[in-house]
Amino acid sequence: MRILAREAIVPILIIVFLAVAILIFNVYALSWSLQWITDVLITLCVAAFVLILYFYRDPNRKITRDENVILSPSDGTILQIEKNTAAPNLKGKFKKIAIFLSLFDVHIQRMPVDGEILDLQHVKGRFLPAYNPMSGEKNDQNIFIIKGKNITLVVKQIAGILVQKTVSWVKKDDKLKTGDKIGMIRFSSRVELFIPSDVY
């Protein structure tokens, strides 16, 4: 069972390297009268280490699979539900559900239905704050078009103002189950789900 997202390894290694470098520097270069500098730096490294462990957590989730239910693709707070809107690269009218992820939410995204990744594309863009309604149109993002048994929908990973990185763990033509992990967004961010307007 994974407890951390795979992307955690690089920042953890960087923090450990910095902590070791600070300790070595203290032993060989600083006088004991400046020991407090090392204490402050090590404290900051420990705090950053704990923050990374918390942010990249990947808790085990019990997924209830029902072909009549669409799973939320993300943790977070619903900011907006917009009816009769267009979905990226699909015809027809859709309902858009915008979800804001704070620093305290789990930032992993999941399949909302059993289905196939019909298309996956990365769109370069800006890095507006994720709570800004325009971020869904203007920001850097990954767009997943998903074909389920009786439905075609879209999930968008949208980068925010911090770190600015969306990560996909799947590829076009992958067949996945409801709740399977499809990627993550680093730090505060936004996810949008587009479902057909006649779905309730």
Side-chain angles (χ1 to χ4, degrees):
M1 179 183 67
R2 186 186 297 274
I3 59 172
L4 286 176
R6 64 192 78 173
E7 278 70 24
I9 187 65
V10 172
I12 286 175
L13 288 176
I14 291 172
I15 292 169
V16 170
F17 173 80
L18 286 175
V20 171
I22 291 166
L23 290 173
I24 292 173
F25 182 75
N26 178 67
V27 170
Y28 290 100
L30 291 178
S31 68
W32 285 106
S33 63
L34 298 177
Q35 177 68 40
W36 67 271
I37 296 176
T38 300
D39 293 342
V40 169
L41 293 176
I42 290 297
T43 299
L44 291 174
C45 284
V46 170
F49 181 78
V50 171
L51 178 63
I52 291 298
L53 289 180
Y54 180 76
F55 177 78
Y56 284 95
R57 68 197 186 281
D58 185 2
N60 189 33
R61 294 283 171 82
K62 183 178 179 180
I63 304 297
T64 301
R65 294 184 170 90
D66 184 334
E67 65 178 20
N68 296 314
V69 173
I70 299 172
L71 180 75
S72 173
S74 180
D75 288 14
T77 302
I78 294 177
L79 290 179
Q80 175 189 25
I81 299 176
E82 183 179 339
K83 298 180 180 179
N84 297 318
T85 187
N89 305 319
L90 289 178
K91 295 180 180 179
K93 293 296 184 180
F94 288 78
K95 184 184 302 179
K96 179 178 78 173
I97 302 168
I99 304 167
F100 173 71
L101 290 76
S102 75
L103 289 170
F104 304 104
D105 290 310
V106 175
H107 277 56
I108 291 171
Q109 286 74 59
R110 297 176 181 271
M111 281 287 284
V113 295
D114 291 356
E116 177 182 355
I117 306 294
L118 282 186
D119 194 22
L120 170 59
Q121 57 182 261
H122 177 251
V123 179
K124 293 184 178 180
R126 299 169 63 185
F127 298 99
L128 299 171
Y131 54 80
N132 186 324
M134 293 304 297
S135 64
E137 300 296 327
K138 303 293 186 181
N139 280 18
D140 199 85
Q141 57 193 262
N142 284 332
I143 302 173
F144 302 78
I145 299 180
I146 300 167
K147 173 67 175 175
K149 182 178 178 181
N150 300 308
I151 190 173
T152 300
L153 45 77
V154 175
V155 173
K156 292 171 68 171
Q157 294 177 311
I158 302 164
I161 197 170
L162 298 175
V163 181
Q164 308 170 349
K165 182 68 174 176
T166 56
V167 180
S168 170
W169 295 336
V170 297
K171 60 185 185 301
K172 184 179 177 181
D173 300 326
D174 280 355
K175 293 179 173 61
L176 303 161
K177 296 292 187 182
T178 303
D180 286 351
K181 299 166 193 171
I182 60 174
M184 77 173 299
I185 317 173
R186 297 179 184 174
F187 297 95
S188 61
S189 47
R190 180 184 182 104
V191 171
E192 292 181 350
L193 171 66
F194 293 79
I195 60 176
S197 287
D198 59 355
V199 172
Y200 292 94

